[in-house]
Amino acid sequence: MKPRRLRVIGGDWRGRKIDSPAANSQVRPTPDAVRETLFNWLQDRITGARCLDLFAGSGILGIEALSRGAQRVDFVEADSATSRLLKRNLASLDTKQAVYSMDARRFLRQVGGHWDIVFLDPPFRLGMLNESIMLLARHSCLADDALMYIESEKELPSVTLPDGWAMLRQKQAGQVAYCLAGPAME
């Protein structure tokens, strides 16, 4: 199967193309318009940020963050073939970032870390979203002023956020709901 090509839409690598798994894989890359909105939301916070791209797939969200000045991105992808593709994408951009080829929930329990921005886009309809959010909070993976980008199927009934957190921005595009969550403003 031939990989799809994705275009980096902003920052130093704007216009560069990376590979994404073939269209018949389970990877759903975040569309250009959604990425544009997301990084407009993050524009004042991305420079120097420590990011986590959980359920990374092609890594396009983390790569966009690096292109726009993030200090570091840790990528987590369970599928070994997709993880190898992600490593090739990062090598083609001449950047050395950590890629963990393991289940995202296991990563949070066993490896962990401390991040300013988390990109959370788990496979749809498998019940991984709320469990991942709970693990991020339980294992102290979030900086005090962290932000979490959440992408899910639009019919998802509810998202359970950590105590003291709120949805800061929300939108829908086609069959996808996406939002930015963080500590509630007082």
Side-chain angles (χ1 to χ4, degrees):
M1 285 176 255
K2 187 174 181 179
R4 293 178 282 187
R5 302 284 287 163
L6 300 175
R7 180 178 56 90
V8 178
I9 59 171
D12 293 341
W13 297 326
R14 181 184 181 142
R16 296 277 302 267
K17 296 209 175 172
I18 66 163
D19 289 331
S20 178
N24 62 347
S25 77
Q26 293 189 354
V27 174
R28 314 167 273 93
T30 302
D32 289 6
V34 173
R35 281 186 277 136
E36 187 72 39
T37 299
L38 167 62
F39 285 97
N40 284 339
W41 291 347
L42 294 175
Q43 67 185 348
D44 296 333
R45 299 281 301 276
I46 199 71
T47 302
R50 297 161 300 165
C51 302
L52 172 63
D53 193 348
L54 207 56
F55 306 99
S58 66
I60 192 63
L61 292 175
I63 288 169
E64 287 281 0
L66 289 166
S67 181
R68 295 163 190 254
Q71 173 190 354
R72 176 183 102 221
V73 177
D74 293 319
F75 295 87
V76 182
E77 173 53 50
D79 181 75
S80 59
T82 304
S83 183
R84 285 190 302 274
L85 179 68
L86 172 55
K87 289 175 184 177
R88 285 194 308 272
N89 284 334
L90 292 168
S92 76
L93 296 168
D94 199 26
T95 183
K96 295 189 185 326
Q97 303 295 318
V99 177
Y100 298 87
S101 186
M102 63 192 302
D103 178 80
R105 294 159 299 174
R106 193 177 105 218
F107 170 84
L108 293 173
R109 285 191 295 270
Q110 294 179 358
V111 179
H114 198 71
W115 296 280
D116 303 308
I117 299 171
V118 175
F119 302 107
L120 187 54
D121 181 10
F124 285 0
R125 295 172 186 80
L126 296 180
M128 295 179 176
L129 181 60
N130 284 327
E131 181 183 3
S132 298
I133 293 169
M134 182 262 317
L135 287 169
L136 283 161
R138 180 184 296 159
H139 293 281
S140 302
C141 294
L142 303 166
D144 290 340
D145 63 345
L147 293 173
M148 192 180 326
Y149 168 74
I150 301 167
E151 189 173 313
S152 67
E153 59 273 28
K154 76 175 186 179
E155 67 273 4
L156 186 70
S158 67
V159 174
T160 304
L161 296 174
D163 289 340
W165 277 52
M167 296 290 185
L168 305 175
R169 297 181 180 238
Q170 294 176 279
K171 288 191 94 169
Q172 283 190 2
Q175 299 301 309
V176 173
Y178 60 103
C179 67
L180 193 63
M185 305 290 182
E186 294 184 19

